């Protein structure tokens, strides 16, 4: 009997907090929308969804994908051209197999940096020790202002097998950092699609 009274008292104290904060709306108060714990309604406090990671094997790489940030399509049976598309918040990343580039490493960085539409180019490495080059494309509006239109990542998976990730904005606030983390998290894998 004492346990039942304690349970009712605990429930009443939680319900009183919800009602005092505006009543309804679910976890954290809010009201009016009939939502539950941040789903619907106009609840002021939301909570972050936990990461749901999935390994995607494509083009000889394994990409660790956070499914709370990215949707994706992998195109099977394609030897040349588009291999996969990853869609995030206001940004899209495509993965293509490309013809081998005539330059690598520092020479490729220097050649890309000399192009008018390249804002910067630099050598990079993925968490799986795959070395490549990252180049940001766009227009310099002034000394400090730049309008970035795309970022390309070039990787030589083998002597004759090159891949290019291209990140492009699809909305007003592209999440460039999410795309960078997705691509630089790639590791050499077993897939040869």
């Amino acid at each position: 009997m004492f346990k039942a009274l304690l349970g009712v008292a605990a429930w009443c104290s939680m319900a009183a907090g919800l009602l005092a904060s505006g009543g309804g709306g679910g976890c954290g108060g809010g009201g009016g929308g009939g939502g539950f714990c941040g789903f619907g309604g106009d609840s002021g406090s939301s909570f972050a969804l936990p990461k749901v990671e999935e390994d995607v094997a494509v083009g000889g790489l394994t990409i660790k994908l956070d499914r709370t940030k990215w949707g994706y399509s992998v195109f099977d049976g394609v030897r040349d051209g588009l291999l996969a598309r990853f869609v995030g918040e206001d940004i899209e990343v495509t993965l293509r197999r490309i013809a081998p580039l005539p330059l690598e490493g520092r020479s490729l960085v220097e050649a890309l940096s000399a192009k008018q539409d390249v804002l910067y180019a630099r050598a990079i490495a993925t968490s799986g020790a795959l070395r490549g080059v990252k180049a940001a494309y766009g227009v310099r509006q002034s000394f400090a202002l730049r309008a970035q239109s795309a970022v390309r990542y070039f990787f030589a998976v083998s002597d004759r097998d090159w891949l290019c990730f291209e990140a492009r904005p699809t909305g007003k606030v592209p999440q460039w950092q999410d795309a960078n983390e997705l691509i630089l998290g790639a590791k050499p894998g077993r897939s040869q699609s």
Side-chain angles (χ1 to χ4, degrees):
M1 177 84 161
F2 183 69
K3 287 182 183 179
L5 287 174
L6 282 177
V8 169
W11 182 84
C12 287
S13 68
M14 288 188 307
L18 285 175
L19 292 173
S21 66
C27 301
F36 177 74
C37 293
F39 297 101
D42 59 355
S43 176
S45 63
S46 61
F47 59 91
L49 292 173
K51 273 188 171 180
V52 179
E53 292 185 339
E54 179 178 343
D55 287 340
V56 178
V58 61
L61 301 176
T62 300
I63 301 166
K64 188 166 288 297
L65 188 70
D66 181 350
R67 295 288 290 168
T68 62
K69 293 182 179 181
W70 296 98
Y72 73 97
S73 298
V74 174
F75 306 105
D76 290 330
V78 177
R79 180 65 193 140
D80 295 318
L82 186 62
L83 298 173
R85 177 176 288 125
F86 304 92
V87 180
E89 186 174 333
D90 287 346
I91 196 160
E92 177 180 87
V93 176
T94 55
L95 173 60
R96 295 181 181 279
R97 190 174 314 277
I98 60 172
L101 299 176
L103 304 170
E104 288 188 49
R106 184 176 297 202
S107 301
L108 181 56
V109 169
E110 290 170 359
L112 287 169
S113 294
K115 290 183 151 191
Q116 184 69 25
D117 62 338
V118 173
L119 300 172
Y120 67 85
R122 67 176 62 123
I124 56 169
T126 69
S127 63
L130 187 61
R131 297 199 179 278
V133 173
K134 173 183 177 179
Y137 292 78
V139 177
R140 284 186 177 86
Q141 296 173 336
S142 69
F143 179 72
L145 294 174
R146 304 183 281 190
Q148 187 168 296
S149 60
V151 179
R152 293 186 186 127
Y153 301 75
F154 302 96
F155 296 103
V157 180
S158 68
D159 289 341
R160 296 181 305 154
D161 201 14
W162 280 71
L163 298 176
C164 176
F165 286 92
E166 182 176 43
R168 288 196 169 276
T170 58
K172 292 182 181 181
V173 188
Q175 301 300 312
W176 295 107
Q177 184 61 35
D178 287 349
N180 197 57
E181 290 172 5
L182 173 77
I183 296 163
L184 295 183
K187 297 181 179 181
R190 294 186 192 107
S191 169
Q192 295 301 319
S193 60

